[in-house]
């Protein structure tokens, strides 16, 4: 069987004809297999959803308990047969619950990795390379210019700034699922033991992380009751969208920080009015992408959502067949 007979793009998403299911569909479908809870991959309204227990829980928190007609939890490493096609979920190291999905039929194995990273992250299970015939890789940071620095260095810069300006508050923009909890966990690992103040949009997901054994320490709501001086010297974490609205104006002389892989691009930080850019990404950088491609042993690479061309070219130079997979509707909620 040809790989494209086992999985190929459709307007709804990546489709498996023999199994009659979609992976991370962007429109409601009968049967969806979902890699992780970011909103561009996990949508509500499918008739049935197969995903890890944590991804199902996260979807329930974000969309309400009735986000799908039926749900089935996939245990990591367990094989589930759907219409004769064997599927299994394996950790992707991206956010809590994130998984790569292996699809196997008649001797052909394709691994759809969703979003992934290779850096150590205390808030989720580490990526496991899976041997396969075709590896589908993301390419969010698929250019050689993207090499993420150690996250501990970035957190050290934040703590240094907080120590330098004890009368000011530090507002850290971080995506509500994954990045925010990772930043908080990194602060704890760096020895920061004061309360962290969080925007309401982070409360339930952060609580869920804590319930899953990810210790984030003392979290307090970033509410205004006591007046501005309450937040002098505080580190406040909120979703990036909150920084443009009135919410951000309640803090004393705030220093605007943003935790994202895009902060590598100085221009982007400047345009966003970010004073302290923190280069912390939940996606693989160039070196991680290329190392992972080699580790999977795949003879063919399909590249999706991001900078497909450079990674396709790199594969060709390495003698690995590669092509861009034109999927639409993915716009990195958690970069
Ligand atoms: Zn993601």
């Amino acid at each position: 069987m040809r790989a494209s007979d086992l999985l190929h793009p459709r307007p709804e998403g990546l489709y498996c004809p023999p199994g009659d299911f979609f992976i991370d569909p962007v429109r409601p479908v009968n049967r969806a297999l979902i890699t992780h809870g970011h909103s561009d991959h996990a949508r509500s309204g499918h008739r049935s959803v197969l995903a890890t227990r944590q991804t199902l829980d996260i979807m329930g928190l974000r969309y309400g308990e009735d986000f799908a007609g039926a749900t089935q939890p996939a245990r990591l490493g367990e094989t589930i047969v759907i219409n004769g096609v064997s599927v299994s979920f394996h950790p992707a190291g991206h956010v809590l619950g994130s998984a790569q999905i292996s699809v196997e039929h008649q001797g052909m194995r394709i691994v759809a990795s969703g979003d992934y990273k290779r850096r150590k992250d205390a808030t989720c299970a580490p990526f496991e390379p899976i041997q396969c015939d075709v590896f589908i890789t993301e390419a969010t940071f698929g250019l050689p210019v993207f090499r993420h620095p150690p996250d501990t260095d970035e957190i050290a810069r934040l703590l240094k700034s907080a120590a330098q300006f004890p009368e000011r508050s530090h507002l850290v923009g971080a995506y509500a699922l994954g990045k925010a909890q990772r930043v908080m966990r990194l602060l704890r690992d760096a020895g920061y033991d004061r309360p962290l103040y969080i925007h309401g949009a982070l409360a339930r997901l952060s609580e869920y992380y804590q319930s899953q054994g990810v210790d984030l320490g003392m979290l307090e709501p970033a509410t205004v009751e006591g007046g501005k001086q309450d937040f002098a010297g505080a580190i406040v974490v909120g979703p990036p969208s909150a920084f443009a609205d009135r919410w951000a104006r309640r803090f004393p002389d705030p220093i605007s920080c943003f935790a994202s892989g895009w902060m590598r691009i100085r221009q982007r930080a400047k345009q966003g009015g970010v004073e302290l850019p923190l280069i912390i990404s939940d996606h693989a950088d160039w070196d991680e992408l290329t190392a992972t491609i080699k580790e999977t042993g795949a003879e063919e690479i399909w590249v999706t959502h991001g900078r497909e061309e450079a990674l396709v070219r790199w594969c060709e130079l390495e003698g690995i067949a590669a092509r861009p997979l034109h999927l639409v509707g993915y716009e990195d909620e958690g970069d």
Side-chain angles (χ1 to χ4, degrees), residues 36 38 94 115:
H36 67 287
H38 279 146
H94 177 56
D115 291 338

Side-chain angles (χ1 to χ4, degrees), residues 46-64:
H46 304 305
R47 187 167 290 175
S48 80
V49 171
L50 174 65
T52 63
R53 174 79 265 160
Q54 289 171 332
T55 293
L56 293 174
D57 288 345
I58 287 166
M59 291 178 77
L61 286 173
R62 306 193 101 181
Y63 303 129

Side-chain angles (χ1 to χ4, degrees), residues 162 166 188 191-197 216-219 230 232-235:
R188 297 314 187 196
Y192 188 82
D193 56 8
R194 294 173 59 186
L196 288 165
Y197 295 89
L216 304 176
M218 172 95 83
L219 306 184
D230 276 12
I235 296 179

Side-chain angles (χ1 to χ4, degrees), residues 14 41 54 103 149 162 168 189-190 209 216 225 251 280 304 323:
L14 199 55
H41 294 259
Q54 289 171 332
V103 177
R168 301 179 70 181
D189 288 338
Y209 267 66
L216 304 176
E225 286 139 39
F251 304 104
I280 300 177
T304 180
R323 65 182 178 88

Side-chain angles (χ1 to χ4, degrees), residues 5 74 158 187 310:
D5 293 332
L158 171 58
L187 284 164

Side-chain angles (χ1 to χ4, degrees), residues 126-201:
F127 180 97
E128 283 174 15
I130 307 298
Q131 296 295 304
C132 54
D133 300 296
V134 178
F135 182 64
I136 306 177
T137 182
E138 60 142 313
T140 305
F141 293 108
L143 284 175
V145 65
F146 291 112
R147 288 192 162 93
H148 308 320
D151 51 14
T152 46
D153 290 5
E154 300 303 287
I155 288 298
R157 291 199 300 115
L158 171 58
L159 289 174
K160 190 177 163 204
S161 178
Q164 237 169 353
F165 302 103
E167 71 294 347
R168 301 179 70 181
S169 53
H170 284 70
L171 302 192
V172 184
Y175 288 100
L177 169 59
K179 187 67 61 64
Q181 295 78 19
R182 183 171 165 212
V183 165
M184 293 192 265
R185 181 64 227 177
L186 283 165
L187 284 164
R188 297 314 187 196
D189 288 338
Y192 188 82
D193 56 8
R194 294 173 59 186
L196 288 165
Y197 295 89
I198 59 170
H199 184 278

Side-chain angles (χ1 to χ4, degrees), residues 1-8 15 17 108-110 133-134 300 302 323:
M1 114 174 301
R2 287 182 312 170
S4 58
D5 293 332
L6 185 53
L7 278 178
H8 61 246
Y15 181 63
M108 164 75 62
R109 185 182 227 189
I110 304 180
D133 300 296
V134 178
E300 192 174 337
W302 296 349
R323 65 182 178 88

